[in-house]
Amino acid sequence: MSELTTELRRLRLSRRINQTQLAKALRVSKSLIASFETGRLVPKEDTAQALDEVLNSGDKIQQLAEEARGDRQPWLRPWAEHERRAALLRCWELSIIPGLLQREPYMRELFAASPWSKSKVDDLIRIRLDRQTAVFTRDEPVELSCLIGEAALHQGSREVLKDQLAYLVDASHQSNVRIRVVPDRNLGLNPGLNGPLSLATLGDGSRIAYLDDQLRGRMATTTADVIELEWAWEAINDLSLSTTQSRDLILRLIDEHD
Protein backbone atom coordinates (compact mmCIF):
# COMPACT_ATOMS: atom_id res chain seq x y z
CA MET A 1 0.00 0.00 0.00
CA SER A 2 1.03 3.66 -0.43
CA GLU A 3 1.89 5.81 2.57
CA LEU A 4 -1.48 7.56 2.20
CA THR A 5 -3.56 4.38 2.33
CA THR A 6 -1.50 2.95 5.20
CA GLU A 7 -1.71 6.14 7.27
CA LEU A 8 -5.42 6.65 6.62
CA ARG A 9 -6.24 3.13 7.77
CA ARG A 10 -3.91 3.45 10.79
CA LEU A 11 -5.52 6.70 11.89
CA ARG A 12 -9.03 5.33 11.50
CA LEU A 13 -8.26 2.20 13.51
CA SER A 14 -6.46 4.21 16.19
CA ARG A 15 -9.68 6.23 16.64
CA ARG A 16 -11.59 2.93 16.86
CA ILE A 17 -14.06 3.79 14.14
CA ASN A 18 -15.04 1.68 11.15
CA GLN A 19 -15.39 2.74 7.53
CA THR A 20 -19.15 3.21 7.87
CA GLN A 21 -18.74 5.57 10.82
CA LEU A 22 -16.02 7.56 9.07
CA ALA A 23 -18.14 7.83 5.94
CA LYS A 24 -21.09 9.08 8.01
CA ALA A 25 -18.92 11.73 9.68
CA LEU A 26 -17.77 12.98 6.28
CA ARG A 27 -21.21 12.56 4.68
CA VAL A 28 -19.83 10.34 1.94
CA SER A 29 -20.35 6.71 1.00
CA LYS A 30 -18.56 3.81 2.68
CA SER A 31 -17.36 2.68 -0.75
CA LEU A 32 -15.55 6.00 -1.16
CA ILE A 33 -13.67 5.46 2.11
CA ALA A 34 -12.82 1.93 0.97
CA SER A 35 -11.49 3.33 -2.33
CA PHE A 36 -9.22 5.71 -0.41
CA GLU A 37 -7.88 2.90 1.77
CA THR A 38 -7.15 0.59 -1.17
CA GLY A 39 -5.55 3.31 -3.29
CA ARG A 40 -8.16 3.23 -6.05
CA LEU A 41 -8.97 6.89 -5.43
CA VAL A 42 -7.16 9.84 -3.83
CA PRO A 43 -9.10 12.28 -1.61
CA LYS A 44 -9.68 15.70 -3.16
CA GLU A 45 -8.43 18.73 -1.24
CA ASP A 46 -11.68 19.42 0.64
CA THR A 47 -12.17 15.73 1.47
CA ALA A 48 -8.58 15.39 2.67
CA GLN A 49 -9.10 18.40 4.93
CA ALA A 50 -12.30 16.89 6.32
CA LEU A 51 -10.48 13.60 6.97
CA ASP A 52 -7.78 15.44 8.92
CA GLU A 53 -10.43 17.20 10.99
CA VAL A 54 -12.39 14.05 11.79
CA LEU A 55 -9.25 11.99 12.51
CA ASN A 56 -7.54 14.86 14.37
CA SER A 57 -4.41 14.40 12.27
CA GLY A 58 -3.36 17.99 11.64
CA ASP A 59 -2.67 18.25 7.90
CA LYS A 60 -1.14 14.77 7.51
CA ILE A 61 -3.81 13.40 5.15
CA GLN A 62 -3.79 16.61 3.12
CA GLN A 63 -0.02 16.36 2.59
CA LEU A 64 -0.10 12.68 1.67
CA ALA A 65 -3.07 13.20 -0.67
CA GLU A 66 -1.23 16.03 -2.43
CA GLU A 67 1.77 13.74 -2.96
CA ALA A 68 -0.47 10.94 -4.24
CA ARG A 69 -2.20 13.28 -6.69
CA GLY A 70 1.23 13.94 -8.17
CA ASP A 71 1.59 10.25 -8.96
CA ARG A 72 2.36 9.90 -12.68
CA GLN A 73 0.61 6.54 -12.98
CA PRO A 74 -2.35 6.42 -10.55
CA TRP A 75 -4.05 3.62 -12.50
CA LEU A 76 -1.06 1.39 -11.81
CA ARG A 77 -1.43 1.43 -8.01
CA PRO A 78 -4.04 -1.36 -7.72
CA TRP A 79 -2.07 -3.65 -10.04
CA ALA A 80 1.21 -2.90 -8.24
CA GLU A 81 -0.43 -3.99 -4.98
CA HIS A 82 -1.53 -7.31 -6.51
CA GLU A 83 1.91 -7.66 -8.07
CA ARG A 84 3.53 -7.19 -4.67
CA ARG A 85 1.35 -9.89 -3.06
CA ALA A 86 1.41 -12.41 -5.91
CA ALA A 87 2.75 -15.92 -5.46
CA LEU A 88 3.19 -16.29 -9.22
CA LEU A 89 3.68 -13.62 -11.88
CA ARG A 90 3.61 -14.40 -15.59
CA CYS A 91 4.25 -11.85 -18.30
CA TRP A 92 4.67 -11.50 -22.04
CA GLU A 93 6.42 -8.73 -23.98
CA LEU A 94 6.96 -8.82 -27.72
CA SER A 95 9.38 -5.97 -28.35
CA ILE A 96 10.76 -4.67 -25.03
CA ILE A 97 12.19 -6.26 -21.89
CA PRO A 98 9.48 -6.81 -19.21
CA GLY A 99 9.40 -3.99 -16.66
CA LEU A 100 10.27 -6.16 -13.65
CA LEU A 101 13.48 -7.26 -15.41
CA GLN A 102 14.58 -3.87 -16.73
CA ARG A 103 17.83 -2.25 -15.59
CA GLU A 104 17.74 1.48 -14.85
CA PRO A 105 19.87 2.53 -17.88
CA TYR A 106 17.50 0.56 -20.13
CA MET A 107 14.47 2.23 -18.51
CA ARG A 108 15.96 5.67 -19.00
CA GLU A 109 16.72 5.05 -22.67
CA LEU A 110 13.26 3.57 -23.20
CA PHE A 111 11.37 6.42 -21.50
CA ALA A 112 13.59 9.09 -23.04
CA ALA A 113 12.43 7.94 -26.48
CA SER A 114 9.01 9.46 -25.66
CA PRO A 115 8.35 13.24 -25.65
CA TRP A 116 8.42 13.49 -21.85
CA SER A 117 10.23 15.89 -19.55
CA LYS A 118 13.22 14.71 -17.52
CA SER A 119 11.15 15.00 -14.33
CA LYS A 120 8.48 12.70 -15.72
CA VAL A 121 11.11 10.21 -16.89
CA ASP A 122 12.66 10.30 -13.41
CA ASP A 123 9.25 9.68 -11.84
CA LEU A 124 8.50 6.74 -14.14
CA ILE A 125 11.87 5.19 -13.36
CA ARG A 126 11.30 5.62 -9.61
CA ILE A 127 7.89 3.95 -9.87
CA ARG A 128 9.30 1.00 -11.81
CA LEU A 129 12.25 0.55 -9.46
CA ASP A 130 9.87 0.68 -6.49
CA ARG A 131 7.81 -2.10 -8.08
CA GLN A 132 10.90 -4.22 -8.57
CA THR A 133 11.96 -3.68 -4.97
CA ALA A 134 8.51 -4.60 -3.65
CA VAL A 135 8.44 -7.82 -5.67
CA PHE A 136 12.01 -9.06 -5.26
CA THR A 137 12.94 -8.09 -1.69
CA ARG A 138 10.01 -9.59 0.20
CA ASP A 139 10.34 -12.54 2.56
CA GLU A 140 8.49 -14.98 0.28
CA PRO A 141 10.11 -14.80 -3.20
CA VAL A 142 7.68 -14.50 -6.07
CA GLU A 143 7.76 -17.07 -8.86
CA LEU A 144 8.34 -15.00 -12.01
CA SER A 145 7.91 -16.49 -15.48
CA CYS A 146 8.56 -14.14 -18.40
CA LEU A 147 8.12 -14.70 -22.11
CA ILE A 148 10.10 -12.28 -24.27
CA GLY A 149 9.96 -11.83 -28.02
CA GLU A 150 13.35 -12.15 -29.70
CA ALA A 151 12.92 -8.66 -31.14
CA ALA A 152 13.20 -7.22 -27.62
CA LEU A 153 16.75 -8.55 -27.37
CA HIS A 154 17.89 -6.30 -30.22
CA GLN A 155 16.38 -2.96 -29.11
CA GLY A 156 18.64 -0.37 -27.50
CA SER A 157 22.04 1.24 -27.80
CA ARG A 158 25.00 -1.11 -27.72
CA GLU A 159 26.23 -0.58 -24.15
CA VAL A 160 22.80 -0.28 -22.59
CA LEU A 161 21.57 -3.39 -24.36
CA LYS A 162 24.66 -5.41 -23.47
CA ASP A 163 24.22 -4.48 -19.80
CA GLN A 164 20.52 -5.36 -19.96
CA LEU A 165 21.12 -8.74 -21.61
CA ALA A 166 23.78 -9.61 -19.03
CA TYR A 167 21.26 -8.85 -16.30
CA LEU A 168 18.75 -11.21 -17.94
CA VAL A 169 21.34 -13.99 -17.89
CA ASP A 170 22.06 -13.37 -14.20
CA ALA A 171 18.35 -13.27 -13.38
CA SER A 172 17.72 -16.50 -15.27
CA HIS A 173 20.00 -18.35 -12.86
CA GLN A 174 17.74 -17.49 -9.91
CA SER A 175 15.59 -20.44 -8.87
CA ASN A 176 12.40 -18.35 -8.81
CA VAL A 177 12.88 -16.67 -12.21
CA ARG A 178 12.20 -18.30 -15.57
CA ILE A 179 12.98 -16.43 -18.78
CA ARG A 180 11.98 -17.91 -22.11
CA VAL A 181 12.50 -16.30 -25.50
CA VAL A 182 10.04 -16.62 -28.37
CA PRO A 183 12.25 -16.68 -31.50
CA ASP A 184 11.20 -14.66 -34.52
CA ARG A 185 10.95 -17.80 -36.63
CA ASN A 186 8.21 -19.17 -34.32
CA LEU A 187 6.04 -16.08 -34.13
CA GLY A 188 3.71 -16.26 -37.10
CA LEU A 189 0.17 -15.13 -36.27
CA ASN A 190 -0.43 -15.77 -32.59
CA PRO A 191 -2.21 -14.15 -29.59
CA GLY A 192 1.02 -12.46 -28.49
CA LEU A 193 0.73 -10.01 -31.38
CA ASN A 194 -2.29 -8.46 -29.63
CA GLY A 195 0.00 -6.82 -27.07
CA PRO A 196 1.77 -7.33 -23.75
CA LEU A 197 0.03 -8.97 -20.82
CA SER A 198 0.73 -9.82 -17.20
CA LEU A 199 -0.94 -12.39 -14.96
CA ALA A 200 -0.85 -12.51 -11.17
CA THR A 201 -1.83 -15.55 -9.10
CA LEU A 202 -2.32 -14.60 -5.46
CA GLY A 203 -1.74 -16.75 -2.43
CA ASP A 204 -5.44 -17.60 -2.13
CA GLY A 205 -5.53 -18.87 -5.71
CA SER A 206 -7.34 -15.87 -7.19
CA ARG A 207 -5.99 -14.58 -10.51
CA ILE A 208 -5.86 -11.11 -12.01
CA ALA A 209 -4.52 -9.84 -15.33
CA TYR A 210 -3.09 -6.54 -16.46
CA LEU A 211 -2.98 -5.12 -19.98
CA ASP A 212 -0.78 -2.17 -20.98
CA ASP A 213 -0.98 0.30 -23.85
CA GLN A 214 0.53 3.58 -25.04
CA LEU A 215 -1.35 5.72 -22.51
CA ARG A 216 -2.26 3.63 -19.47
CA GLY A 217 -2.98 0.11 -18.34
CA ARG A 218 -6.08 -1.65 -17.11
CA MET A 219 -6.79 -4.70 -15.02
CA ALA A 220 -8.92 -7.66 -16.08
CA THR A 221 -10.58 -9.34 -13.11
CA THR A 222 -13.54 -11.33 -14.42
CA THR A 223 -13.06 -15.08 -14.55
CA ALA A 224 -13.82 -15.23 -18.27
CA ASP A 225 -11.31 -12.49 -19.16
CA VAL A 226 -8.54 -13.96 -17.00
CA ILE A 227 -9.05 -17.45 -18.44
CA GLU A 228 -8.88 -16.05 -21.98
CA LEU A 229 -5.63 -14.23 -21.20
CA GLU A 230 -4.17 -17.30 -19.50
CA TRP A 231 -4.97 -19.28 -22.63
CA ALA A 232 -3.19 -16.63 -24.70
CA TRP A 233 -0.12 -16.78 -22.43
CA GLU A 234 0.01 -20.57 -22.70
CA ALA A 235 -0.27 -20.37 -26.49
CA ILE A 236 2.70 -17.99 -26.57
CA ASN A 237 4.60 -20.20 -24.14
CA ASP A 238 4.21 -23.13 -26.57
CA LEU A 239 6.21 -21.12 -29.12
CA SER A 240 9.10 -20.32 -26.79
CA LEU A 241 12.54 -21.84 -26.41
CA SER A 242 13.43 -23.70 -23.23
CA THR A 243 15.01 -21.69 -20.43
CA THR A 244 18.43 -23.14 -21.27
CA GLN A 245 18.06 -22.44 -24.99
CA SER A 246 16.87 -18.92 -24.19
CA ARG A 247 19.90 -18.26 -21.98
CA ASP A 248 22.23 -19.56 -24.68
CA LEU A 249 20.63 -17.25 -27.25
CA ILE A 250 21.04 -14.24 -24.96
CA LEU A 251 24.68 -15.17 -24.32
CA ARG A 252 25.34 -15.36 -28.06
CA LEU A 253 23.88 -11.88 -28.50
CA ILE A 254 26.10 -10.55 -25.71
CA ASP A 255 29.14 -12.01 -27.47
CA GLU A 256 28.12 -10.19 -30.64
CA HIS A 257 28.37 -6.89 -28.74
CA ASP A 258 31.99 -7.57 -27.67
Side-chain angles (χ1 to χ4, degrees), residues 8 31 48 56 59 81-82 90 94 103 117 128 135 146 149 154 159 164 176 194 196 215 220 225 227 256:
L8 180 55
S31 63
N56 191 27
D59 62 352
E81 175 62 19
H82 292 304
R90 290 172 288 173
L94 173 63
R103 292 267 291 157
S117 66
R128 186 156 293 179
V135 168
C146 291
H154 298 276
E159 290 304 315
Q164 178 63 65
N176 61 315
N194 291 323
L215 295 177
D225 284 347
I227 289 175
E256 290 178 6

PDB file of all heavy atoms in Angstrom, residues 8 31 48 56 59 81-82 90 94 103 117 128 135 146 149 154 159 164 176 194 196 215 220 225 227 256:
ATOM      1  N   LEU A   8      -3.984   6.437   6.454  1.00  0.00           N
ATOM      2  CA  LEU A   8      -5.417   6.652   6.621  1.00  0.00           C
ATOM      3  C   LEU A   8      -6.048   5.503   7.400  1.00  0.00           C
ATOM      4  O   LEU A   8      -6.842   5.720   8.334  1.00  0.00           O
ATOM      5  CB  LEU A   8      -6.078   6.783   5.244  1.00  0.00           C
ATOM      6  CG  LEU A   8      -7.598   7.008   5.239  1.00  0.00           C
ATOM      7  CD1 LEU A   8      -7.970   8.216   6.092  1.00  0.00           C
ATOM      8  CD2 LEU A   8      -8.104   7.175   3.807  1.00  0.00           C
ATOM      9  N   SER A  31     -18.186   3.152   0.362  1.00  0.00           N
ATOM     10  CA  SER A  31     -17.364   2.681  -0.755  1.00  0.00           C
ATOM     11  C   SER A  31     -16.278   3.692  -1.111  1.00  0.00           C
ATOM     12  O   SER A  31     -15.192   3.308  -1.562  1.00  0.00           O
ATOM     13  CB  SER A  31     -18.234   2.394  -1.978  1.00  0.00           C
ATOM     14  OG  SER A  31     -18.875   3.588  -2.434  1.00  0.00           O
ATOM     15  N   ALA A  48      -9.778  15.642   1.868  1.00  0.00           N
ATOM     16  CA  ALA A  48      -8.576  15.389   2.673  1.00  0.00           C
ATOM     17  C   ALA A  48      -8.578  16.255   3.921  1.00  0.00           C
ATOM     18  O   ALA A  48      -8.217  15.798   5.014  1.00  0.00           O
ATOM     19  CB  ALA A  48      -7.329  15.657   1.842  1.00  0.00           C
ATOM     20  N   ASN A  56      -8.414  14.048  13.514  1.00  0.00           N
ATOM     21  CA  ASN A  56      -7.541  14.861  14.370  1.00  0.00           C
ATOM     22  C   ASN A  56      -6.072  14.618  14.035  1.00  0.00           C
ATOM     23  O   ASN A  56      -5.242  14.333  14.913  1.00  0.00           O
ATOM     24  CB  ASN A  56      -7.806  14.547  15.853  1.00  0.00           C
ATOM     25  CG  ASN A  56      -7.135  15.553  16.786  1.00  0.00           C
ATOM     26  OD1 ASN A  56      -6.916  16.706  16.412  1.00  0.00           O
ATOM     27  ND2 ASN A  56      -6.800  15.116  18.007  1.00  0.00           N
ATOM     28  N   ASP A  59      -2.519  18.180   9.360  1.00  0.00           N
ATOM     29  CA  ASP A  59      -2.672  18.246   7.903  1.00  0.00           C
ATOM     30  C   ASP A  59      -2.013  17.042   7.235  1.00  0.00           C
ATOM     31  O   ASP A  59      -1.647  17.090   6.068  1.00  0.00           O
ATOM     32  CB  ASP A  59      -2.102  19.548   7.351  1.00  0.00           C
ATOM     33  CG  ASP A  59      -0.596  19.688   7.606  1.00  0.00           C
ATOM     34  OD1 ASP A  59      -0.032  18.852   8.345  1.00  0.00           O
ATOM     35  OD2 ASP A  59       0.008  20.653   7.089  1.00  0.00           O
ATOM     36  N   GLU A  81      -0.138  -3.330  -6.259  1.00  0.00           N
ATOM     37  CA  GLU A  81      -0.428  -3.986  -4.983  1.00  0.00           C
ATOM     38  C   GLU A  81      -0.626  -5.484  -5.181  1.00  0.00           C
ATOM     39  O   GLU A  81      -0.104  -6.304  -4.415  1.00  0.00           O
ATOM     40  CB  GLU A  81      -1.675  -3.355  -4.344  1.00  0.00           C
ATOM     41  CG  GLU A  81      -2.150  -4.019  -3.066  1.00  0.00           C
ATOM     42  CD  GLU A  81      -1.122  -3.959  -1.935  1.00  0.00           C
ATOM     43  OE1 GLU A  81      -0.202  -3.125  -1.999  1.00  0.00           O
ATOM     44  OE2 GLU A  81      -1.260  -4.756  -0.983  1.00  0.00           O
ATOM     45  N   HIS A  82      -1.367  -5.879  -6.214  1.00  0.00           N
ATOM     46  CA  HIS A  82      -1.534  -7.312  -6.513  1.00  0.00           C
ATOM     47  C   HIS A  82      -0.185  -7.935  -6.881  1.00  0.00           C
ATOM     48  O   HIS A  82       0.120  -9.059  -6.484  1.00  0.00           O
ATOM     49  CB  HIS A  82      -2.531  -7.502  -7.652  1.00  0.00           C
ATOM     50  CG  HIS A  82      -3.933  -7.127  -7.291  1.00  0.00           C
ATOM     51  ND1 HIS A  82      -4.606  -7.662  -6.221  1.00  0.00           N
ATOM     52  CD2 HIS A  82      -4.808  -6.266  -7.884  1.00  0.00           C
ATOM     53  CE1 HIS A  82      -5.821  -7.157  -6.158  1.00  0.00           C
ATOM     54  NE2 HIS A  82      -5.966  -6.305  -7.148  1.00  0.00           N
ATOM     55  N   ARG A  90       3.271 -14.009 -14.227  1.00  0.00           N
ATOM     56  CA  ARG A  90       3.613 -14.401 -15.586  1.00  0.00           C
ATOM     57  C   ARG A  90       3.449 -13.185 -16.492  1.00  0.00           C
ATOM     58  O   ARG A  90       2.496 -12.429 -16.333  1.00  0.00           O
ATOM     59  CB  ARG A  90       2.707 -15.538 -16.070  1.00  0.00           C
ATOM     60  CG  ARG A  90       2.952 -16.875 -15.385  1.00  0.00           C
ATOM     61  CD  ARG A  90       1.892 -17.899 -15.763  1.00  0.00           C
ATOM     62  NE  ARG A  90       0.606 -17.602 -15.132  1.00  0.00           N
ATOM     63  CZ  ARG A  90      -0.518 -18.246 -15.398  1.00  0.00           C
ATOM     64  NH1 ARG A  90      -0.533 -19.204 -16.312  1.00  0.00           N
ATOM     65  NH2 ARG A  90      -1.638 -17.932 -14.766  1.00  0.00           N
ATOM     66  N   LEU A  94       6.503  -8.497 -26.368  1.00  0.00           N
ATOM     67  CA  LEU A  94       6.960  -8.819 -27.719  1.00  0.00           C
ATOM     68  C   LEU A  94       8.234  -8.082 -28.097  1.00  0.00           C
ATOM     69  O   LEU A  94       9.156  -8.669 -28.661  1.00  0.00           O
ATOM     70  CB  LEU A  94       5.860  -8.481 -28.723  1.00  0.00           C
ATOM     71  CG  LEU A  94       6.229  -8.587 -30.214  1.00  0.00           C
ATOM     72  CD1 LEU A  94       6.575 -10.022 -30.565  1.00  0.00           C
ATOM     73  CD2 LEU A  94       5.091  -8.061 -31.085  1.00  0.00           C
ATOM     74  N   ARG A 103      16.804  -3.007 -16.313  1.00  0.00           N
ATOM     75  CA  ARG A 103      17.827  -2.254 -15.593  1.00  0.00           C
ATOM     76  C   ARG A 103      17.545  -0.765 -15.754  1.00  0.00           C
ATOM     77  O   ARG A 103      16.919  -0.326 -16.729  1.00  0.00           O
ATOM     78  CB  ARG A 103      19.202  -2.586 -16.164  1.00  0.00           C
ATOM     79  CG  ARG A 103      19.643  -4.008 -15.886  1.00  0.00           C
ATOM     80  CD  ARG A 103      20.463  -4.077 -14.627  1.00  0.00           C
ATOM     81  NE  ARG A 103      21.747  -3.415 -14.834  1.00  0.00           N
ATOM     82  CZ  ARG A 103      22.489  -2.912 -13.836  1.00  0.00           C
ATOM     83  NH1 ARG A 103      22.059  -2.968 -12.603  1.00  0.00           N
ATOM     84  NH2 ARG A 103      23.661  -2.340 -14.102  1.00  0.00           N
ATOM     85  N   SER A 117       9.225  15.093 -20.243  1.00  0.00           N
ATOM     86  CA  SER A 117      10.232  15.888 -19.552  1.00  0.00           C
ATOM     87  C   SER A 117      11.129  14.978 -18.718  1.00  0.00           C
ATOM     88  O   SER A 117      10.771  13.839 -18.401  1.00  0.00           O
ATOM     89  CB  SER A 117       9.555  16.906 -18.632  1.00  0.00           C
ATOM     90  OG  SER A 117       8.874  16.229 -17.578  1.00  0.00           O
ATOM     91  N   ARG A 128       8.943   2.354 -11.358  1.00  0.00           N
ATOM     92  CA  ARG A 128       9.297   1.002 -11.809  1.00  0.00           C
ATOM     93  C   ARG A 128      10.310   0.350 -10.873  1.00  0.00           C
ATOM     94  O   ARG A 128      10.203  -0.847 -10.566  1.00  0.00           O
ATOM     95  CB  ARG A 128       9.820   1.052 -13.239  1.00  0.00           C
ATOM     96  CG  ARG A 128      10.075  -0.316 -13.854  1.00  0.00           C
ATOM     97  CD  ARG A 128      10.005  -0.260 -15.370  1.00  0.00           C
ATOM     98  NE  ARG A 128       8.659   0.033 -15.844  1.00  0.00           N
ATOM     99  CZ  ARG A 128       8.323   0.150 -17.129  1.00  0.00           C
ATOM    100  NH1 ARG A 128       9.253  -0.019 -18.068  1.00  0.00           N
ATOM    101  NH2 ARG A 128       7.087   0.417 -17.480  1.00  0.00           N
ATOM    102  N   VAL A 135       8.626  -6.441  -5.236  1.00  0.00           N
ATOM    103  CA  VAL A 135       8.443  -7.824  -5.672  1.00  0.00           C
ATOM    104  C   VAL A 135       9.614  -8.709  -5.264  1.00  0.00           C
ATOM    105  O   VAL A 135       9.425  -9.838  -4.796  1.00  0.00           O
ATOM    106  CB  VAL A 135       8.248  -7.879  -7.209  1.00  0.00           C
ATOM    107  CG1 VAL A 135       8.353  -9.313  -7.717  1.00  0.00           C
ATOM    108  CG2 VAL A 135       6.888  -7.298  -7.584  1.00  0.00           C
ATOM    109  N   CYS A 146       8.682 -15.150 -17.344  1.00  0.00           N
ATOM    110  CA  CYS A 146       8.558 -14.139 -18.399  1.00  0.00           C
ATOM    111  C   CYS A 146       8.816 -14.729 -19.781  1.00  0.00           C
ATOM    112  O   CYS A 146       9.790 -15.455 -19.988  1.00  0.00           O
ATOM    113  CB  CYS A 146       9.548 -13.004 -18.154  1.00  0.00           C
ATOM    114  SG  CYS A 146       9.171 -11.987 -16.726  1.00  0.00           S
ATOM    115  N   GLY A 149       9.744 -11.707 -26.592  1.00  0.00           N
ATOM    116  CA  GLY A 149       9.957 -11.832 -28.023  1.00  0.00           C
ATOM    117  C   GLY A 149      11.416 -11.567 -28.369  1.00  0.00           C
ATOM    118  O   GLY A 149      12.062 -10.703 -27.769  1.00  0.00           O
ATOM    119  N   HIS A 154      17.095  -7.061 -29.258  1.00  0.00           N
ATOM    120  CA  HIS A 154      17.893  -6.298 -30.216  1.00  0.00           C
ATOM    121  C   HIS A 154      17.633  -4.797 -30.119  1.00  0.00           C
ATOM    122  O   HIS A 154      18.215  -4.031 -30.898  1.00  0.00           O
ATOM    123  CB  HIS A 154      17.593  -6.767 -31.645  1.00  0.00           C
ATOM    124  CG  HIS A 154      17.930  -8.202 -31.896  1.00  0.00           C
ATOM    125  ND1 HIS A 154      19.196  -8.628 -32.235  1.00  0.00           N
ATOM    126  CD2 HIS A 154      17.159  -9.320 -31.840  1.00  0.00           C
ATOM    127  CE1 HIS A 154      19.196  -9.944 -32.390  1.00  0.00           C
ATOM    128  NE2 HIS A 154      17.968 -10.387 -32.155  1.00  0.00           N
ATOM    129  N   GLU A 159      25.813  -0.367 -25.533  1.00  0.00           N
ATOM    130  CA  GLU A 159      26.232  -0.577 -24.147  1.00  0.00           C
ATOM    131  C   GLU A 159      25.055  -0.839 -23.226  1.00  0.00           C
ATOM    132  O   GLU A 159      25.121  -1.691 -22.343  1.00  0.00           O
ATOM    133  CB  GLU A 159      27.044   0.629 -23.656  1.00  0.00           C
ATOM    134  CG  GLU A 159      28.411   0.750 -24.297  1.00  0.00           C
ATOM    135  CD  GLU A 159      29.239  -0.522 -24.109  1.00  0.00           C
ATOM    136  OE1 GLU A 159      29.262  -1.061 -22.983  1.00  0.00           O
ATOM    137  OE2 GLU A 159      29.853  -0.982 -25.099  1.00  0.00           O
ATOM    138  N   GLN A 164      21.844  -4.805 -20.219  1.00  0.00           N
ATOM    139  CA  GLN A 164      20.521  -5.364 -19.961  1.00  0.00           C
ATOM    140  C   GLN A 164      20.485  -6.870 -20.215  1.00  0.00           C
ATOM    141  O   GLN A 164      19.913  -7.641 -19.429  1.00  0.00           O
ATOM    142  CB  GLN A 164      19.480  -4.660 -20.835  1.00  0.00           C
ATOM    143  CG  GLN A 164      18.064  -5.190 -20.692  1.00  0.00           C
ATOM    144  CD  GLN A 164      17.508  -5.005 -19.304  1.00  0.00           C
ATOM    145  OE1 GLN A 164      17.319  -3.895 -18.851  1.00  0.00           O
ATOM    146  NE2 GLN A 164      17.234  -6.110 -18.613  1.00  0.00           N
ATOM    147  N   ASN A 176      13.792 -18.791  -8.718  1.00  0.00           N
ATOM    148  CA  ASN A 176      12.397 -18.354  -8.807  1.00  0.00           C
ATOM    149  C   ASN A 176      12.099 -17.547 -10.069  1.00  0.00           C
ATOM    150  O   ASN A 176      11.006 -16.992 -10.212  1.00  0.00           O
ATOM    151  CB  ASN A 176      12.029 -17.508  -7.586  1.00  0.00           C
ATOM    152  CG  ASN A 176      12.868 -16.244  -7.467  1.00  0.00           C
ATOM    153  OD1 ASN A 176      14.071 -16.283  -7.624  1.00  0.00           O
ATOM    154  ND2 ASN A 176      12.215 -15.127  -7.183  1.00  0.00           N
ATOM    155  N   ASN A 194      -1.254  -9.381 -30.097  1.00  0.00           N
ATOM    156  CA  ASN A 194      -2.288  -8.457 -29.630  1.00  0.00           C
ATOM    157  C   ASN A 194      -1.783  -7.512 -28.553  1.00  0.00           C
ATOM    158  O   ASN A 194      -2.490  -6.575 -28.176  1.00  0.00           O
ATOM    159  CB  ASN A 194      -3.493  -9.234 -29.097  1.00  0.00           C
ATOM    160  CG  ASN A 194      -4.234  -9.958 -30.202  1.00  0.00           C
ATOM    161  OD1 ASN A 194      -4.355  -9.442 -31.313  1.00  0.00           O
ATOM    162  ND2 ASN A 194      -4.714 -11.159 -29.918  1.00  0.00           N
ATOM    163  N   PRO A 196       1.215  -6.752 -24.974  1.00  0.00           N
ATOM    164  CA  PRO A 196       1.772  -7.330 -23.751  1.00  0.00           C
ATOM    165  C   PRO A 196       0.673  -7.678 -22.753  1.00  0.00           C
ATOM    166  O   PRO A 196      -0.414  -7.093 -22.770  1.00  0.00           O
ATOM    167  CB  PRO A 196       2.667  -6.210 -23.214  1.00  0.00           C
ATOM    168  CG  PRO A 196       2.065  -4.958 -23.765  1.00  0.00           C
ATOM    169  CD  PRO A 196       1.534  -5.319 -25.118  1.00  0.00           C
ATOM    170  N   LEU A 215      -0.987   4.674 -23.450  1.00  0.00           N
ATOM    171  CA  LEU A 215      -1.354   5.722 -22.508  1.00  0.00           C
ATOM    172  C   LEU A 215      -1.413   5.240 -21.068  1.00  0.00           C
ATOM    173  O   LEU A 215      -0.859   5.851 -20.172  1.00  0.00           O
ATOM    174  CB  LEU A 215      -2.717   6.327 -22.901  1.00  0.00           C
ATOM    175  CG  LEU A 215      -2.737   7.055 -24.244  1.00  0.00           C
ATOM    176  CD1 LEU A 215      -4.149   7.532 -24.559  1.00  0.00           C
ATOM    177  CD2 LEU A 215      -1.777   8.238 -24.221  1.00  0.00           C
ATOM    178  N   ALA A 220      -7.827  -6.755 -15.717  1.00  0.00           N
ATOM    179  CA  ALA A 220      -8.924  -7.657 -16.079  1.00  0.00           C
ATOM    180  C   ALA A 220      -9.125  -8.584 -14.888  1.00  0.00           C
ATOM    181  O   ALA A 220      -8.194  -9.264 -14.455  1.00  0.00           O
ATOM    182  CB  ALA A 220      -8.577  -8.458 -17.328  1.00  0.00           C
ATOM    183  N   ASP A 225     -12.414 -13.246 -18.560  1.00  0.00           N
ATOM    184  CA  ASP A 225     -11.309 -12.490 -19.156  1.00  0.00           C
ATOM    185  C   ASP A 225      -9.958 -13.082 -18.759  1.00  0.00           C
ATOM    186  O   ASP A 225      -9.052 -13.210 -19.590  1.00  0.00           O
ATOM    187  CB  ASP A 225     -11.376 -11.026 -18.718  1.00  0.00           C
ATOM    188  CG  ASP A 225     -12.459 -10.244 -19.434  1.00  0.00           C
ATOM    189  OD1 ASP A 225     -12.989 -10.767 -20.437  1.00  0.00           O
ATOM    190  OD2 ASP A 225     -12.777  -9.122 -18.990  1.00  0.00           O
ATOM    191  N   ILE A 227      -9.249 -16.156 -17.784  1.00  0.00           N
ATOM    192  CA  ILE A 227      -9.046 -17.455 -18.441  1.00  0.00           C
ATOM    193  C   ILE A 227      -8.618 -17.260 -19.896  1.00  0.00           C
ATOM    194  O   ILE A 227      -7.713 -17.944 -20.393  1.00  0.00           O
ATOM    195  CB  ILE A 227     -10.326 -18.313 -18.357  1.00  0.00           C
ATOM    196  CG1 ILE A 227     -10.541 -18.789 -16.919  1.00  0.00           C
ATOM    197  CG2 ILE A 227     -10.242 -19.503 -19.306  1.00  0.00           C
ATOM    198  CD1 ILE A 227     -11.839 -19.548 -16.718  1.00  0.00           C
ATOM    199  N   GLU A 256      28.113 -10.982 -29.414  1.00  0.00           N
ATOM    200  CA  GLU A 256      28.115 -10.192 -30.639  1.00  0.00           C
ATOM    201  C   GLU A 256      28.405  -8.719 -30.358  1.00  0.00           C
ATOM    202  O   GLU A 256      28.835  -7.973 -31.231  1.00  0.00           O
ATOM    203  CB  GLU A 256      26.775 -10.329 -31.347  1.00  0.00           C
ATOM    204  CG  GLU A 256      26.532 -11.705 -31.949  1.00  0.00           C
ATOM    205  CD  GLU A 256      25.164 -11.829 -32.607  1.00  0.00           C
ATOM    206  OE1 GLU A 256      24.475 -10.796 -32.681  1.00  0.00           O
ATOM    207  OE2 GLU A 256      24.792 -12.941 -33.027  1.00  0.00           O
TER     208      GLU A 256
END
